[in-house]
Amino acid sequence: MAQVAPTAEGYIGYGGRRLLSPLTKKRLERILGYLLDENEFLSPYGIRSLSRYHQDHPFVFHVGNDALSVSYLPAESNTGMFGGNSNWRGPVWMPVNTLIVRGLLNLYQFYGNDFTVECPTGSGNRMTLLRWRERSRGGLPASS
């Protein structure tokens, strides 16, 4: 329970706020490293539903003698199994992006301006979670 709702000084955020989260700050930074990586989930249009990494490295699951795979397909499917549309394997889904942005805003309310992330990953450009939200909505140029 101490990890879920810690009360130590390091777990009190901006304005005396508390945070109930399964993520430590270190884990959050690691997850955001993938989420904000343009070779993984970050696209010019939002967060992809499946990592672009799987375009060249499909996920393969073996069941008996069958090898089932899922790969990143940003447009039409290579199989008719789902009606030819591969929206579940790569494109940006607005409802998922809304949930991600809302979650990051909640984290910003806890961490405030002291917590910054590199966006995009590997760019050296650091910003707060609030600033990333503005950028993701098109409110800021990519270079800011």
Side-chain angles (χ1 to χ4, degrees), residues 3-4 6 11 19-32 103-104 107 110-111 115:
Q3 292 296 321
V4 176
Y11 295 97
L19 179 66
L20 178 62
S21 173
L23 299 177
T24 63
K25 193 173 191 179
K26 187 175 181 177
R27 285 182 182 168
L28 175 62
E29 288 172 339
R30 186 170 176 201
I31 289 169
L32 291 176
L104 292 177
L107 291 167
F110 177 77
Y111 289 114
F115 182 76

Side-chain angles (χ1 to χ4, degrees), residues 28-43 47 116-127 132 135 142:
L28 175 62
E29 288 172 339
R30 186 170 176 201
I31 289 169
L32 291 176
Y34 288 102
L35 189 72
L36 302 176
D37 187 339
E38 293 172 317
N39 295 314
E40 293 271 356
F41 289 97
L42 184 63
S43 82
I47 302 297
T116 61
V117 294
E118 190 176 25
C119 184
T121 299
S123 69
N125 184 32
R126 298 198 68 83
M127 58 183 66
W132 178 83
R135 177 178 183 255

Side-chain angles (χ1 to χ4, degrees), residues 3-129:
Q3 292 296 321
V4 176
T7 57
E9 186 175 321
Y11 295 97
I12 299 173
Y14 177 78
R17 291 185 176 102
R18 303 287 180 151
L19 179 66
L20 178 62
S21 173
L23 299 177
T24 63
K25 193 173 191 179
K26 187 175 181 177
R27 285 182 182 168
L28 175 62
E29 288 172 339
R30 186 170 176 201
I31 289 169
L32 291 176
Y34 288 102
L35 189 72
L36 302 176
D37 187 339
E38 293 172 317
N39 295 314
E40 293 271 356
F41 289 97
L42 184 63
S43 82
Y45 310 103
I47 302 297
R48 297 177 178 104
S49 60
L50 182 70
S51 174
R52 186 176 176 205
Y53 171 85
H54 296 296
Q55 186 170 16
D56 298 325
H57 308 91
F59 176 79
V60 180
F61 181 73
H62 297 279
V63 179
N65 294 329
D66 295 327
L68 308 169
S69 69
V70 174
S71 62
Y72 175 84
L73 297 170
E76 292 301 311
S77 176
N78 56 1
T79 175
M81 180 181 259
F82 298 100
N85 187 332
S86 70
N87 281 341
W88 65 282
R89 290 186 284 172
V92 174
W93 282 17
M94 186 275 300
V96 172
N97 276 256
T98 301
L99 291 172
I100 291 169
V101 168
R102 184 66 208 157
L104 292 177
L105 283 174
N106 287 342
L107 291 167
Y108 172 76
Q109 288 179 329
F110 177 77
Y111 289 114
N113 291 327
D114 293 337
F115 182 76
T116 61
V117 294
E118 190 176 25
C119 184
T121 299
S123 69
N125 184 32
R126 298 198 68 83
M127 58 183 66
T128 66
L129 295 176

